[in-house]
Amino acid sequence: MTRNLITPDPGSGNGSPPLLEIWNLKVHFPDDAGPVRAVDSIDLTVREKECFGIIGESGSGKTVLCLAILGLLPGDASFSGEITFKGENLFSMPSREIRKIRGKEIGAIFQNPATSLDPVFTIGDQLSEALSRGEGFSKAEVNTNLIHLLNRVSIQDPALRIRQYPHELSGGLRQRVMIAMGIAAEPSLIIADEPSSGLDLRIKRRIISLLQDISQNATMFIVTHDLELAEKLFETLAVMYAGEIVEISGCKEFFKAPMHPFSEGLLNSLPSRGMQPIPGSSPSLTALPEGCRFFPRCRYAMEICKNKHPELFSLTGERQVRCFKYA
Ligand code: SF4
């Protein structure tokens, strides 16, 4: 089994010890057409206090990767490989232990707060539960910390908000509540799945700024297809395409000069860079091309790309690219 350790930029991840390591992770789902290879042979290292991001199109496997780390894969998923958190393999822990770690040591910010928050409980009840996973606070301490927590995510009038139900809040406020739940127990690692999804531009920018604040003191692992969020927040990023990683890079270098043809296409589809969409669509995860998975859409495709699957080639520094152009 190979392991791709990422050496962060001087001054960004700062060579801190690894907090989360993923080794040769595969997650497949059964389907009449054959196994859906949602996550295929992924290796990653996230270091302490690093803000690590995954970007890619919808359906590229990003959310499944988050669910695997959180121990929340559906029952029909088959998986292999290792996910170690603080050196402990999460896959070999009993589910009771995983539940303890999730919420207390690994916080989650899920996409779509409209469905992730429980409509029958008040915001205060749901946040109290998240807080009590932390330090074993007394009821009085939970109440004090509730107000403090809502202040931390810049929710005005916290005494009123804790008595309200999710449907009484705007989309932006619900997203802030989701973030508050994710950070409530002061976890060492925060996993966020599309934290800016479905928000209008003004609210999205406030959420990005809030996440920037939180990332000053926490290790974050964020998946998104929002390139504005990625550019503002991430230190290191990985690009996923059709279930696998096709590029790993420092964030600044990536936005300056993406290397994989898919990464280049992603950036070229931004309004600020000409808004040219990538032609074609991603391959079905049940019928992946034999060679490079991006071959049918790639403007640089060569003969070798059709039948041979490229590995992740290591370039200078931390950069790795899955493309024969760099072999
Ligand atoms: Fe394009 Fe070939 Fe690189 Fe795949 S390996 S991205 S087809 S040039």
Side-chain angles (χ1 to χ4, degrees):
M1 189 186 298
T2 56
R3 193 176 186 191
N4 299 310
L5 285 178
I6 295 161
T7 311
D9 284 337
S12 60
N14 296 332
S16 331
L19 185 69
L20 176 76
E21 293 174 281
I22 300 178
W23 293 24
N24 198 22
L25 178 68
K26 294 183 185 172
V27 183
H28 296 177
F29 296 95
D31 186 86
D32 290 345
V36 178
R37 289 152 70 183
V39 168
D40 216 6
S41 306
I42 283 190
D43 296 303
L44 282 180
T45 298
V46 181
R47 296 179 181 280
E48 279 178 18
K49 299 285 183 277
E50 182 176 29
C51 185
F52 190 102
I54 304 269
I55 60 172
E57 295 173 324
S58 301
S60 57
K62 307 185 301 298
T63 294
V64 175
L65 180 56
C66 285
L67 294 177
I69 299 168
L70 289 164
L72 289 174
L73 286 171
D76 62 348
S78 57
F79 51 90
S80 61
E82 265 185 36
I83 299 181
T84 61
F85 173 69
K86 296 186 174 174
E88 299 276 340
N89 183 6
L90 297 177
F91 283 166
S92 59
M93 280 183 193
S95 38
R96 188 170 32 90
E97 282 299 307
I98 302 260
R99 275 199 298 276
K100 256 202 236 164
I101 287 179
R102 187 172 63 233
K104 186 173 179 194
E105 294 212 53
I106 304 181
I109 301 170
F110 294 108
Q111 60 176 306
N112 200 352
T115 52
S116 301
L117 291 170
D118 194 326
V120 300
F121 289 101
T122 64
I123 298 303
D125 287 341
Q126 296 185 58
L127 285 173
S128 301
E129 208 221 313
L131 271 169
S132 53
R133 287 189 210 120
E135 294 298 316
F137 295 123
S138 67
K139 199 158 185 263
E141 284 168 330
V142 166
N143 286 339
T144 316
N145 283 321
L146 261 184
I147 304 295
H148 173 68
L149 186 58
L150 290 182
N151 283 331
R152 237 184 113 192
V153 295
S154 305
I155 291 184
Q156 309 290 323
D157 215 349
L160 164 70
R161 299 302 183 197
I162 56 175
R163 295 195 302 273
Q164 291 184 307
Y165 289 87
H167 73 272
E168 296 178 90
L169 304 186
S170 66
L173 277 175
R174 282 197 294 253
Q175 189 61 12
R176 280 168 193 269
V177 171
M178 288 300 293
I179 294 174
M181 286 177 74
I183 63 173
E186 307 273 352
S188 330
L189 173 67
I190 298 166
I191 311 273
D193 183 9
E194 301 283 6
S196 60
S197 154
L199 301 175
D200 70 38
L201 195 62
R202 186 176 56 90
I203 296 176
K204 184 180 93 170
R205 294 217 163 127
R206 284 202 199 154
I207 294 293
I208 292 176
S209 148
L210 173 59
L211 292 171
Q212 277 172 324
D213 281 352
I214 294 169
S215 72
Q216 300 302 312
N217 296 307
T219 309
M220 299 190 83
F221 181 89
I222 301 179
V223 307
T224 185
H225 65 270
D226 181 343
L227 297 177
E228 182 188 353
L229 177 138
E231 187 169 16
K232 292 203 165 132
L233 212 54
F234 298 166
E235 292 169 70
T236 309
L237 63 78
V239 183
M240 272 187 88
Y241 183 76
E244 65 183 2
I245 286 177
V246 295
E247 181 164 356
I248 296 176
S249 171
C251 188
K252 283 195 193 102
E253 296 80 352
F254 178 82
F255 280 93
K256 212 158 132 199
M259 297 186 91
H260 193 278
F262 171 66
S263 312
E264 186 187 307
L266 266 187
L267 294 199
N268 286 345
S269 65
L270 285 172
S272 58
R273 302 196 189 203
M275 214 154 93
Q276 297 157 23
I278 307 173
S281 52
S282 306
S284 158
L285 296 173
T286 58
L288 291 165
E290 186 187 335
C292 171
R293 293 181 186 177
F294 193 58
F295 173 79
R297 306 171 77 184
C298 182
R299 58 198 277 223
Y300 304 103
M302 300 168 276
E303 197 50 39
I304 186 176
C305 313
K306 192 172 175 185
N307 300 313
K308 194 164 176 200
H309 186 240
E311 61 185 271
L312 262 181
F313 298 106
S314 291
L315 308 179
T316 50
E318 67 197 290
R319 247 175 155 170
Q320 296 176 55
V321 186
R322 190 183 296 281
C323 174
F324 287 119
K325 272 174 77 187
Y326 305 96

